[in-house]
Amino acid sequence: MTSTEASTADVRAPSILAVLVVKDGAVWLRESLHGLAAQTYPRLGVIAVDNGSTDGSRDLLEQALGATRILSPERDLGLAGAVGMVTDLPAAREADYLLVLHDDTALAPDAVERMLEAAEGIPGVERVGVVGPKVVEWGDPTLLSEVGRSADRFGHPYTPLQDGERDHGQYDRVLEVLFVSSCAMLISRDAWERTGSFDERLESRFDDLDFCWRARVAGFRVLMTPMAQARHAAAGGAGDRPGERRGPRYYAERAALSSMLKNYGFLSQLWLLPLSVLLAVTRVVLMAASRRVDDALELLAAWGWNVAHLPSTFRRRIRAQAVRAVPDRAVRRFMESASVRLPRWFETAGRILAEQRSIDLEEGERPASVRMHAASLARDHPLLVAWAIGAVVAALAFRGFYGPEAVTGGVMPAFPAHPGDFLRELVSGVRTTSLGGTQAASPSLAVLGAGSWVLFGSTGVAQKALLLALPLAAAILAYRAFMRATGRRPAAVVAAAGYALSAVSMWAFSEGRVSELALLAILPALAERLDTAFGPDAPSEPRRFIGGLGVTLAFGLAFAPGILLPAGVLVLVRLVSAPARGRGLLHTLAGAVLASLLVFPMLPDLVAGVGLGSRAGLPDFAALSRLSLGPAPGSWWVAWFLPAAAAIGWGVTGAGLRAKARPALLGAVGGLFLAWGSAAGYLPGPLANAGAYAALAAASMAALVAYGLASVLAGPIGRQAFGHRQIGAGLLTIVLASGLGLQAVAAALGNWAVGPNHLTPAWLVVTSTAHADFRVLWIGRDRGVAFPAPGGDATDVVEAGGDSLRFAITDPTGVTALDLGRGDAGAGYRHAGDVLQELVAGTTSHEGAMLA
């Protein structure tokens, strides 16, 4: 080609204007400028925008580009403002493409040429609006950083790359993706003019997702070409760039919700936004319960930002939807569905199983038996095995709750008909549901109302979700606490399973005791927090620690005010046995003050002891010692497995863990005796709560099991002479294996007191013949068990004729004066006074009477 022909070709070639955005990037800027200077594409111009750098970046720019090609705004405009400032120039309006470039990005010499080839030179691929290169690590170009990205339906970014994945050519083909990084982004003029600029409100954080999403809505393709390569330091994400006010979760969540609000069509938003709210509420609750307070606050702050910016988001939505050229389903093809992650889990499980099989072959042994493979898998991957077994047991145990019917029976709280009723109960002076009463409103009503609203406005679905989620949360939080305490995953898994399958846990679930289930879920996390407060090493971040302790306690108080009783015992135990009493007490008091502020409406009643006590529980020390408070699946003799394993675990706990195990031993013994004292009537009413103390005993026993197993797994027992510790280790294994297996079978049978259509026959007769308003007086001997559904627990106990009689009052709608007997529909109509006389005389076993 002659020089004249080459010159003509250059004129016809598309012009590209590179916009280099700089902010205190002197560390990387020199190499970034060298990369631009070395580009092989001839029609490339460069304009830099210095967003107020103070580290010498301005001097480097002037040396490389000259002062005339540098723009210096009066304030930091971010990426969006900087690029917008350049696009107002005549040179930008005449350019065919914009190349947006960060100051910590260095392009390979042919990167621009290769990106332009992808934009214009691929046969059959039209309307390419955005192209990005293959991005590698700044310091090690063999490590992949980005090959295009996707997002889930809710805008959360997703990358196909694994941590530390090296470049072996596995992505060396042009990929059509949802979005590419703005660190090096080639944008056609048509796409820029039709899509609009970057969203300056996002402050250069995840604005590339929003921009590319809008470009796709406008009908443009987004490509990643591996032929072009860029090194990126990712200074903002790595925390190397000053000015980051919050963590990355906040910026990611903020951009995700903003992108959803702007870029989805109306019909898509009708079902995706409620699901997004549900997902956010669930995550906040789990984060708060697991003491990730900072993460929960960042998520809430991100939602708060979007609420505050709704007017400007709505204006940008109108702009985005006005240029829509394709439906949402065309964009969703490039999104990562949440269900896609499930096969990845199975893939990981399959890889683990393959590793287990290959171990034997590598050692030259004959193929191992199934039993040996199972033992090896359980030893090396206990959490995976626990999840698999737990999923099977839960699927069988909860099989009766999958239908649309409401859950009734036991003492399950009666949820109102509509989510808004929770809010009315919250602001009302008197609450009429079983979740409330005449005492101050609990913040849990607001949580339940919000949960019901996001669950398709169904309080019945929310009721089931709460009932099924709490036992799982108890197991998960117990595992986390025991794992941190022992550092041994198998020990934590087994101890958490024992806790979830203890008699008190299964009793609480069987009767639908939401308060006790919430207490069981929170107690391990609370105990772990107190261990840290009173431990030998001070928390590294006291403010964050106190915040986590306060939120944990507040969550427990909102759903189970009785948690104050075991919490007080935990504090007293640590004051007796812990090394740092002063610091621990100070942190505990600070956390208690924060919790009281979070549940402030309940504070007067809590101080007065209202709502702390409970009359549930049999005054039978033999039953309570195996943590059984009443008839329920799993309350049989097998329930002895946890106390027996705890005793053995204490016996085999090594010297290094004895100090940690001592508070658990005191909590187990103290919890048992306090539970018995509560059920037997030896404690004052506000301090009598057998269920709360039994939960404390269960958590403490499970902790002793964890410490014992951790000592056994640590190894010194096998290197000592045969003696009592070896015998104890063998007994511990036998007791736990048999106990957990039989309790799992009892749970899988699912003979719970609650479930669909579990009201007693007599109550069904009453409600079916209802003609007037009435109240129900439930009367019976003080035996520690609940009245037949829906009577619930006794309200109080009175002395009559030398005998203790319990009573409760409910307020349904029905007929008058029906003696319920034992749930026999044919019991007949009787007067309550006659029933009371017969009860005192001991000549009847009737359990209740209805009064007009």
Side-chain angles (χ1 to χ4, degrees):
M1 179 181 295
T2 66
S3 60
T4 304
E5 291 172 339
S7 176
T8 304
D10 289 344
V11 172
R12 290 198 301 267
S15 60
I16 300 175
L17 179 63
V19 183
L20 178 62
V21 183
V22 182
K23 172 63 177 176
D24 293 325
V27 177
W28 318 278
L29 184 56
R30 192 179 301 275
E31 291 194 49
S32 179
L33 290 169
H34 285 167
L36 281 171
Q39 289 303 305
T40 59
Y41 189 72
R43 299 201 63 194
L44 175 66
V46 180
I47 292 181
V49 181
D50 179 25
N51 273 322
S53 298
T54 59
D55 64 344
S57 295
R58 172 77 187 198
D59 295 335
L60 290 175
L61 290 173
E62 289 185 356
Q63 294 172 13
L65 303 176
T68 58
R69 288 196 286 176
I70 304 173
L71 302 180
S72 299
E74 296 180 354
R75 59 184 180 86
D76 185 357
L77 299 179
L79 178 71
V83 177
M85 189 176 186
V86 172
T87 55
D88 291 334
L89 301 175
R93 290 195 292 268
E94 295 173 1
D96 296 302
Y97 288 90
L98 288 179
L99 174 63
V100 178
L101 197 68
H102 292 190
D103 57 8
D104 59 348
T105 302
L107 297 173
D110 61 346
V112 173
E113 188 173 359
R114 299 307 179 192
M115 291 190 341
L116 184 62
E117 287 178 358
E120 296 200 341
I122 301 179
V125 179
E126 300 177 350
R127 297 211 73 189
V128 176
V130 181
V131 179
K134 176 170 65 177
V135 183
V136 297
E137 294 287 342
W138 180 273
D140 186 356
T142 65
L143 291 177
L144 291 169
S145 178
E146 187 167 313
V147 290
R149 304 183 74 183
S150 179
D152 64 15
R153 298 290 191 267
F154 308 103
H156 301 128
Y158 167 80
T159 176
L161 298 175
Q162 304 296 323
D163 291 338
E165 185 171 349
R166 294 196 175 272
D167 185 7
H168 299 294
Q170 63 270 39
Y171 297 102
D172 280 358
R173 62 188 184 280
V174 176
L175 300 175
E176 187 167 5
V177 296
L178 179 64
F179 73 103
V180 295
S181 172
S182 63
C183 73
M185 180 186 290
L186 185 68
I187 310 169
S188 71
R189 182 171 60 185
D190 189 18
W192 179 268
E193 291 176 348
R194 187 167 177 80
T195 301
S197 62
F198 291 93
D199 190 338
E200 74 282 358
R201 304 173 308 161
L202 300 181
E203 305 172 273
S204 307
R205 298 170 178 93
F206 298 98
D207 49 357
D208 41 17
L209 164 65
D210 171 66
F211 177 80
C212 292
W213 193 340
R214 283 187 284 125
R216 282 207 161 277
V217 169
F220 294 97
R221 295 175 182 266
V222 179
L223 305 180
M224 186 286 299
T225 174
M227 302 300 121
Q229 182 169 304
R231 293 162 50 222
H232 186 212
D240 298 332
R241 195 184 298 277
E244 294 294 321
R245 302 187 305 276
R246 294 181 180 270
R249 180 182 298 277
Y250 166 76
Y251 297 112
E253 295 289 346
R254 184 181 69 171
L257 182 56
S258 176
S259 300
M260 285 184 63
L261 293 172
K262 285 186 291 185
N263 302 327
Y264 269 130
F266 177 72
L267 293 179
S268 296
Q269 288 185 342
L270 283 180
W271 66 276
L272 281 169
L273 283 181
L275 287 179
S276 181
V277 174
L278 172 61
L279 179 64
V281 170
T282 304
R283 292 169 65 199
V284 167
V285 171
L286 292 177
M287 289 173 183
S290 59
R291 305 171 306 285
R292 294 161 55 195
V293 181
D294 287 351
D295 289 341
L297 292 177
E298 285 189 358
L299 198 154
L300 290 174
W303 276 75
W305 182 92
N306 275 283
V307 172
H309 287 80
L310 272 179
S312 58
T313 299
F314 184 70
R315 290 194 297 270
R316 286 167 172 80
R317 172 179 170 77
I318 294 176
R319 170 77 166 78
Q321 299 301 315
V323 297
R324 175 179 287 277
V326 297
D328 285 335
R329 63 177 178 273
V331 180
R332 282 200 294 266
R333 292 194 301 115
F334 303 98
M335 288 184 169
E336 184 79 1
S337 173
S339 62
V340 173
R341 290 176 174 81
L342 190 60
R344 290 179 179 269
W345 187 91
F346 285 115
E347 180 181 345
T348 302
R351 175 176 52 78
I352 291 172
L353 292 172
E355 291 173 356
Q356 296 295 318
R357 290 192 296 269
S358 65
I359 289 174
D360 298 321
L361 297 177
E362 291 172 1
E363 295 174 349
E365 300 176 356
R366 291 182 300 174
S369 65
V370 175
R371 179 181 59 82
M372 294 179 64
H373 277 309
S376 176
L377 181 64
R379 180 186 65 249
D380 298 335
H381 304 282
L383 192 58
L384 175 68
V385 174
W387 270 114
I389 297 176
V392 174
V393 173
L396 294 173
F398 300 156
R399 64 186 182 277
F401 298 88
Y402 299 147
E405 300 85 0
V407 177
T408 53
V411 295
M412 185 70 196
F415 277 40
H418 305 286
D421 294 336
F422 280 111
L423 181 59
R424 283 188 283 273
E425 293 284 316
L426 182 65
V427 300
S428 172
V430 178
R431 273 145 296 286
T432 59
T433 70
S434 299
L435 292 169
T438 57
Q439 66 270 22
S442 167
S444 63
L445 292 170
V447 175
L448 293 172
S452 300
W453 180 76
V454 298
L455 286 172
F456 314 105
S458 172
T459 58
V461 174
Q463 181 192 41
K464 289 184 180 180
L466 182 67
L467 182 64
L468 302 184
L470 285 174
L472 300 178
I476 293 171
L477 295 178
Y479 163 76
R480 290 172 61 91
F482 300 151
M483 180 63 188
R484 289 193 175 99
T486 64
R488 296 281 176 175
R489 196 180 301 274
V493 167
V494 173
Y499 182 61
L501 293 172
S502 63
V504 63
S505 299
M506 296 179 69
W507 166 80
F509 180 82
S510 178
E511 297 198 350
R513 296 180 177 273
V514 173
S515 293
E516 282 79 358
L517 289 173
L519 192 149
L520 285 162
I522 293 298
L523 209 50
L526 181 62
E528 185 212 345
R529 281 275 169 176
L530 293 176
D531 281 337
T532 303
F534 287 90
D537 300 323
S540 58
E541 300 180 29
R543 291 186 179 179
R544 180 174 181 175
F545 173 82
I546 292 172
L549 177 61
V551 170
T552 301
L553 183 57
F555 189 87
L557 289 173
F559 281 89
I563 198 174
L564 275 182
L565 302 178
V569 175
L570 289 173
V571 173
L572 290 175
V573 165
R574 280 149 183 81
L575 286 174
V576 171
S577 60
R581 297 179 180 86
R583 184 192 70 232
L585 186 59
L586 181 63
H587 284 171
T588 302
L589 290 175
V593 170
L594 175 60
S596 65
L597 294 176
L598 294 174
V599 295
F600 183 76
M602 302 175 62
L603 190 58
D605 286 335
L606 293 174
V607 173
V610 177
L612 302 185
S614 171
R615 298 191 175 277
L618 296 168
D620 182 348
F621 188 79
L624 288 171
S625 61
R626 65 176 186 267
L627 304 176
S628 174
L629 284 85
S635 295
W636 50 337
W637 59 271
V638 177
W640 280 104
F641 87 97
L642 186 58
I648 300 171
W650 168 256
V652 300
T653 298
L657 293 175
R658 278 272 167 168
K660 286 186 175 182
R662 192 170 293 111
L665 177 65
L666 295 176
V669 175
L672 279 181
F673 278 96
L674 287 171
W676 176 72
S678 298
Y682 294 133
L683 295 181
L687 301 181
N689 192 326
Y693 294 126
L696 169 64
S700 301
M701 290 177 183
L704 289 174
V705 171
Y707 290 125
L709 283 175
S711 299
V712 170
L713 296 173
I717 290 180
R719 295 194 294 267
Q720 296 176 354
F722 185 82
H724 75 282
R725 298 192 71 197
Q726 285 74 14
I727 296 175
L731 288 175
L732 183 60
T733 303
I734 294 173
V735 169
L736 287 173
S738 58
L740 290 174
L742 291 173
Q743 288 292 89
V745 171
L749 293 176
N751 296 320
W752 312 113
V754 295
N757 304 317
H758 273 214
L759 290 179
T760 58
W763 185 249
L764 296 177
V765 170
V766 173
T767 55
S768 65
T769 57
H771 297 290
D773 294 340
F774 70 98
R775 293 188 302 164
V776 182
L777 172 65
W778 302 83
I779 307 172
R781 293 185 181 277
D782 186 21
R783 299 183 303 181
V785 297
F787 288 105
D793 289 327
T795 304
D796 205 348
V797 175
V798 296
E799 297 295 328
D803 201 355
S804 295
L805 297 178
R806 63 198 173 119
F807 67 89
I809 299 176
T810 59
D811 291 290
T813 301
V815 297
T816 60
L818 174 63
D819 176 11
L820 291 180
R822 293 185 176 179
D824 182 4
Y829 290 84
R830 308 192 63 185
H831 191 275
D834 297 334
V835 177
L836 180 59
Q837 292 179 0
E838 294 175 1
L839 284 168
V840 173
T843 58
T844 184
S845 60
H846 293 318
E847 286 294 322
M850 287 196 179
L851 301 179

